[in-house]
Amino acid sequence: MNVQFYPGERRDIVAAWGLLSVAFTFFIIRASAYTLIPQPTVPLSYLATVFGATVATVGVGFLAHELAHKLTAVRFGQEAVFRADYTMLGLAVVGGLAGFLFAAPGAVHHRGYITPREHGLIAVAGPAVNLVLVVVFLPLLFAGGVLGATGQLGVTINGLLAGFNMIPFGPLDGATVRRQWGTAGFAAVFIVCAGVAVASLLFVGFPF
């Protein structure tokens, strides 16, 4: 399989990965004890730990999600390219600073003839990879310390990414799956992704 990266695509991937990690770092710190109990500064070691964990979990989850879309599209003979949405990335960073977050960092655009089944598989590939990452991060929960916290964040974030992206609205993957596979096909995938998202949030949660 010949995977080609187009001009500016690698830059967009790295920028989206970095800015999304920054946005989640701000969001997590805003939701932590450092804002619940006001303090003059956030320790640099704490900031570095949270940022490192978000790069390894949010960043990897986002990157794997988008690359899954791209690789699946290429597998079906499509031309596929990721383009970052810098306006939405900027809003994500500002939102993280304000204590709320809505992340839509960009999307993989593809073109060429495909069947409805293939179109649906391209859309499902992203959430499916996030479900795989939930399983990958799960053993780290029992490691303790920073590694355990990273595993906890990895499970929760990837679970939420899978569930959120399967919402049947706008440009999200769920809307594409519903259009291409119908309500029954969409419901089967949505129930799994939404179930993992809810379980991750309720029974694992955020570590910081």
Side-chain angles (χ1 to χ4, degrees):
M1 182 170 59
N2 183 24
V3 180
Q4 179 180 358
F5 287 91
Y6 295 89
E9 187 174 11
R10 288 186 177 88
R11 176 205 62 210
D12 278 10
I13 290 172
V14 172
W17 185 352
L19 290 171
L20 199 58
S21 298
V22 169
F24 269 87
T25 297
F26 288 153
F27 174 73
I28 290 170
I29 289 174
R30 285 282 296 171
S32 73
Y34 287 100
T35 53
L36 295 176
I37 304 173
Q39 299 185 36
T41 60
V42 176
L44 185 59
S45 59
Y46 178 79
L47 180 62
T49 298
V50 174
F51 180 70
T54 57
V55 168
T57 55
V58 179
V60 169
F62 151 75
L63 179 63
H65 181 106
E66 297 302 335
L67 286 180
H69 287 317
K70 180 180 175 74
L71 293 176
T72 307
V74 172
R75 170 67 179 79
F76 292 135
Q78 299 276 285
E79 293 180 10
V81 57
F82 174 78
R83 291 301 182 210
D85 187 329
Y86 287 96
T87 299
M88 293 305 297
L89 284 167
L91 289 174
V93 172
V94 172
L97 279 169
F100 68 90
L101 197 58
F102 178 82
V108 169
H109 304 277
H110 56 90
R111 64 181 182 180
Y113 175 77
I114 47 175
T115 66
R117 172 183 170 275
E118 292 169 341
H119 201 164
L121 286 172
I122 292 170
V124 165
V129 165
N130 291 126
L131 294 181
V132 171
L133 286 173
V134 168
V135 176
V136 170
F137 279 108
L138 193 59
L140 297 181
L141 283 174
F142 309 101
V146 174
L147 195 59
T150 301
Q152 187 178 353
L153 186 60
V155 169
T156 302
I157 287 296
N158 280 284
L160 291 176
L161 281 173
F164 173 77
N165 278 283
M166 280 305 300
I167 295 173
F169 175 77
L172 295 175
D173 298 326
T176 300
V177 174
R178 189 172 185 179
R179 284 195 303 269
Q180 302 301 323
W181 288 1
T183 301
F186 159 77
V189 181
F190 177 79
I191 289 171
V192 173
C193 291
V196 172
V198 171
S200 298
L201 188 59
L202 292 180
F203 299 112
V204 180
F206 292 95
F208 300 106

Short mmCIF file of all heavy atoms in Angstrom, two decimals, residues 5 9 17 33 37 42-43 52 58 64-65 73 79 83 90 92 97 116 126 131 139 151 160 169 174 189-191 198:
data_model
loop_
_atom_site.label_atom_id
_atom_site.label_comp_id
_atom_site.label_asym_id
_atom_site.label_seq_id
_atom_site.Cartn_x
_atom_site.Cartn_y
_atom_site.Cartn_z
N PHE A 5 2.06 11.38 1.75
CA PHE A 5 1.73 12.57 2.53
C PHE A 5 1.90 13.79 1.65
O PHE A 5 2.95 13.99 1.03
CB PHE A 5 2.62 12.66 3.77
CG PHE A 5 2.26 11.65 4.83
CD1 PHE A 5 2.87 10.40 4.83
CD2 PHE A 5 1.31 11.93 5.78
CE1 PHE A 5 2.54 9.46 5.80
CE2 PHE A 5 0.97 10.99 6.75
CZ PHE A 5 1.58 9.75 6.76
N GLU A 9 0.85 18.42 4.92
CA GLU A 9 0.07 17.47 5.72
C GLU A 9 0.79 17.09 7.01
O GLU A 9 0.18 17.05 8.09
CB GLU A 9 -0.23 16.21 4.90
CG GLU A 9 -1.19 15.27 5.61
CD GLU A 9 -1.59 14.08 4.74
OE1 GLU A 9 -0.98 13.87 3.66
OE2 GLU A 9 -2.52 13.36 5.15
N TRP A 17 -1.61 17.77 16.72
CA TRP A 17 -1.21 16.95 17.86
C TRP A 17 -0.74 17.84 19.02
O TRP A 17 -1.19 17.70 20.15
CB TRP A 17 -0.09 16.01 17.41
CG TRP A 17 0.38 15.00 18.43
CD1 TRP A 17 0.03 14.92 19.75
CD2 TRP A 17 1.29 13.92 18.18
NE1 TRP A 17 0.67 13.86 20.34
CE2 TRP A 17 1.45 13.22 19.42
CE3 TRP A 17 1.99 13.48 17.07
CZ2 TRP A 17 2.27 12.11 19.54
CZ3 TRP A 17 2.82 12.36 17.20
CH2 TRP A 17 2.95 11.70 18.41
N ALA A 33 -7.11 20.36 41.41
CA ALA A 33 -7.12 21.05 42.71
C ALA A 33 -6.46 22.42 42.65
O ALA A 33 -6.69 23.26 43.52
CB ALA A 33 -6.42 20.18 43.76
N ILE A 37 -8.73 24.90 44.60
CA ILE A 37 -8.14 25.61 45.73
C ILE A 37 -7.13 26.60 45.14
O ILE A 37 -6.02 26.21 44.79
CB ILE A 37 -7.43 24.65 46.70
CG1 ILE A 37 -8.41 23.56 47.18
CG2 ILE A 37 -6.82 25.40 47.88
CD1 ILE A 37 -7.75 22.48 48.00
N VAL A 42 1.16 27.12 39.24
CA VAL A 42 1.11 25.67 39.09
C VAL A 42 2.55 25.18 39.00
O VAL A 42 3.32 25.67 38.18
CB VAL A 42 0.34 25.27 37.81
CG1 VAL A 42 0.39 23.76 37.60
CG2 VAL A 42 -1.10 25.76 37.88
N PRO A 43 2.95 24.24 39.85
CA PRO A 43 4.34 23.76 39.81
C PRO A 43 4.73 23.28 38.42
O PRO A 43 3.95 22.59 37.75
CB PRO A 43 4.33 22.61 40.82
CG PRO A 43 3.21 22.91 41.74
CD PRO A 43 2.17 23.59 40.91
N GLY A 52 3.06 15.87 29.35
CA GLY A 52 3.61 14.62 28.83
C GLY A 52 2.56 13.53 28.70
O GLY A 52 2.52 12.79 27.71
N VAL A 58 -3.86 11.85 24.56
CA VAL A 58 -4.70 12.64 23.65
C VAL A 58 -4.04 12.73 22.29
O VAL A 58 -4.67 12.50 21.25
CB VAL A 58 -4.95 14.05 24.21
CG1 VAL A 58 -5.79 14.87 23.24
CG2 VAL A 58 -5.62 13.98 25.57
N ALA A 64 -3.61 8.49 15.86
CA ALA A 64 -4.01 7.16 15.41
C ALA A 64 -5.39 7.19 14.76
O ALA A 64 -5.63 6.51 13.76
CB ALA A 64 -4.00 6.19 16.59
N HIS A 65 -6.30 7.98 15.34
CA HIS A 65 -7.66 8.11 14.79
C HIS A 65 -7.63 8.63 13.35
O HIS A 65 -8.24 8.04 12.44
CB HIS A 65 -8.47 9.06 15.68
CG HIS A 65 -9.88 9.25 15.25
ND1 HIS A 65 -10.94 8.69 15.92
CD2 HIS A 65 -10.43 9.97 14.23
CE1 HIS A 65 -12.07 9.04 15.33
NE2 HIS A 65 -11.79 9.81 14.30
N ALA A 73 -8.78 4.74 3.81
CA ALA A 73 -9.17 5.36 2.53
C ALA A 73 -8.19 5.00 1.43
O ALA A 73 -8.59 4.66 0.31
CB ALA A 73 -9.26 6.87 2.70
N GLU A 79 -7.61 9.02 -2.72
CA GLU A 79 -6.63 10.05 -2.38
C GLU A 79 -7.10 10.65 -1.05
O GLU A 79 -8.23 11.12 -0.95
CB GLU A 79 -6.57 11.13 -3.46
CG GLU A 79 -6.01 10.66 -4.78
CD GLU A 79 -5.96 11.77 -5.82
OE1 GLU A 79 -6.18 12.95 -5.44
OE2 GLU A 79 -5.72 11.48 -6.99
N ARG A 83 -6.17 17.65 6.93
CA ARG A 83 -6.03 19.10 7.00
C ARG A 83 -6.48 19.57 8.38
O ARG A 83 -7.59 19.26 8.82
CB ARG A 83 -6.87 19.79 5.92
CG ARG A 83 -6.34 19.57 4.51
CD ARG A 83 -4.92 20.07 4.36
NE ARG A 83 -4.38 19.93 3.01
CZ ARG A 83 -3.08 19.74 2.76
NH1 ARG A 83 -2.22 19.65 3.76
NH2 ARG A 83 -2.66 19.65 1.51
N GLY A 90 -7.40 26.77 17.75
CA GLY A 90 -7.26 27.97 18.58
C GLY A 90 -8.37 28.06 19.61
O GLY A 90 -8.13 28.38 20.79
N ALA A 92 -10.00 25.55 20.82
CA ALA A 92 -9.79 24.49 21.80
C ALA A 92 -8.81 24.94 22.88
O ALA A 92 -9.02 24.69 24.07
CB ALA A 92 -9.27 23.23 21.11
N LEU A 97 -8.20 26.86 28.48
CA LEU A 97 -7.83 27.88 29.48
C LEU A 97 -9.04 28.32 30.29
O LEU A 97 -8.91 28.63 31.48
CB LEU A 97 -7.21 29.09 28.77
CG LEU A 97 -5.74 28.98 28.38
CD1 LEU A 97 -5.36 30.14 27.46
CD2 LEU A 97 -4.85 28.97 29.61
N PRO A 116 -20.80 2.32 -0.53
CA PRO A 116 -21.27 2.72 0.80
C PRO A 116 -20.62 1.91 1.92
O PRO A 116 -20.32 2.45 2.99
CB PRO A 116 -22.78 2.46 0.73
CG PRO A 116 -23.11 2.64 -0.71
CD PRO A 116 -21.93 2.09 -1.45
N GLY A 126 -11.53 5.19 12.50
CA GLY A 126 -11.02 6.08 13.54
C GLY A 126 -11.47 5.67 14.93
O GLY A 126 -10.64 5.40 15.81
N LEU A 131 -10.79 2.42 20.27
CA LEU A 131 -11.17 1.29 21.12
C LEU A 131 -9.98 0.36 21.35
O LEU A 131 -9.78 -0.15 22.47
CB LEU A 131 -12.33 0.52 20.49
CG LEU A 131 -13.67 1.24 20.38
CD1 LEU A 131 -14.72 0.32 19.75
CD2 LEU A 131 -14.16 1.73 21.74
N PRO A 139 -3.77 -2.04 30.75
CA PRO A 139 -2.84 -2.65 31.72
C PRO A 139 -2.03 -1.65 32.53
O PRO A 139 -1.60 -1.94 33.65
CB PRO A 139 -1.92 -3.51 30.83
CG PRO A 139 -2.71 -3.76 29.59
CD PRO A 139 -3.52 -2.52 29.39
N GLY A 151 -1.88 5.71 31.95
CA GLY A 151 -2.79 4.66 31.51
C GLY A 151 -4.24 5.02 31.76
O GLY A 151 -5.11 4.80 30.91
N LEU A 160 -13.58 8.20 25.31
CA LEU A 160 -14.40 9.37 24.97
C LEU A 160 -14.27 9.74 23.50
O LEU A 160 -15.25 10.15 22.86
CB LEU A 160 -14.01 10.55 25.85
CG LEU A 160 -14.37 10.42 27.34
CD1 LEU A 160 -13.83 11.61 28.13
CD2 LEU A 160 -15.88 10.31 27.52
N PHE A 169 -23.87 13.48 14.04
CA PHE A 169 -24.11 14.92 13.87
C PHE A 169 -23.01 15.53 13.04
O PHE A 169 -21.82 15.24 13.24
CB PHE A 169 -24.18 15.60 15.24
CG PHE A 169 -24.32 17.10 15.17
CD1 PHE A 169 -25.53 17.68 14.86
CD2 PHE A 169 -23.22 17.92 15.39
CE1 PHE A 169 -25.65 19.07 14.78
CE2 PHE A 169 -23.33 19.29 15.31
CZ PHE A 169 -24.56 19.87 15.00
N GLY A 174 -20.00 9.36 13.15
CA GLY A 174 -21.29 8.73 13.32
C GLY A 174 -22.29 9.13 12.25
O GLY A 174 -23.09 8.30 11.79
N VAL A 189 -22.59 -0.06 15.89
CA VAL A 189 -21.29 0.54 16.20
C VAL A 189 -21.42 1.55 17.33
O VAL A 189 -20.58 1.60 18.25
CB VAL A 189 -20.68 1.21 14.95
CG1 VAL A 189 -19.31 1.81 15.27
CG2 VAL A 189 -20.56 0.21 13.80
N PHE A 190 -22.46 2.35 17.29
CA PHE A 190 -22.65 3.41 18.29
C PHE A 190 -22.79 2.83 19.69
O PHE A 190 -22.21 3.37 20.65
CB PHE A 190 -23.87 4.25 17.95
CG PHE A 190 -24.18 5.31 18.97
CD1 PHE A 190 -23.46 6.51 18.98
CD2 PHE A 190 -25.16 5.13 19.93
CE1 PHE A 190 -23.71 7.49 19.93
CE2 PHE A 190 -25.43 6.10 20.88
CZ PHE A 190 -24.70 7.28 20.87
N ILE A 191 -23.55 1.75 19.83
CA ILE A 191 -23.78 1.16 21.16
C ILE A 191 -22.45 0.73 21.78
O ILE A 191 -22.20 0.97 22.97
CB ILE A 191 -24.76 -0.02 21.06
CG1 ILE A 191 -26.17 0.50 20.77
CG2 ILE A 191 -24.74 -0.85 22.34
CD1 ILE A 191 -27.17 -0.58 20.44
N VAL A 198 -18.88 5.70 28.15
CA VAL A 198 -19.53 5.88 29.45
C VAL A 198 -18.80 5.10 30.54
O VAL A 198 -18.55 5.62 31.64
CB VAL A 198 -21.02 5.46 29.38
CG1 VAL A 198 -21.64 5.44 30.77
CG2 VAL A 198 -21.79 6.39 28.46
#
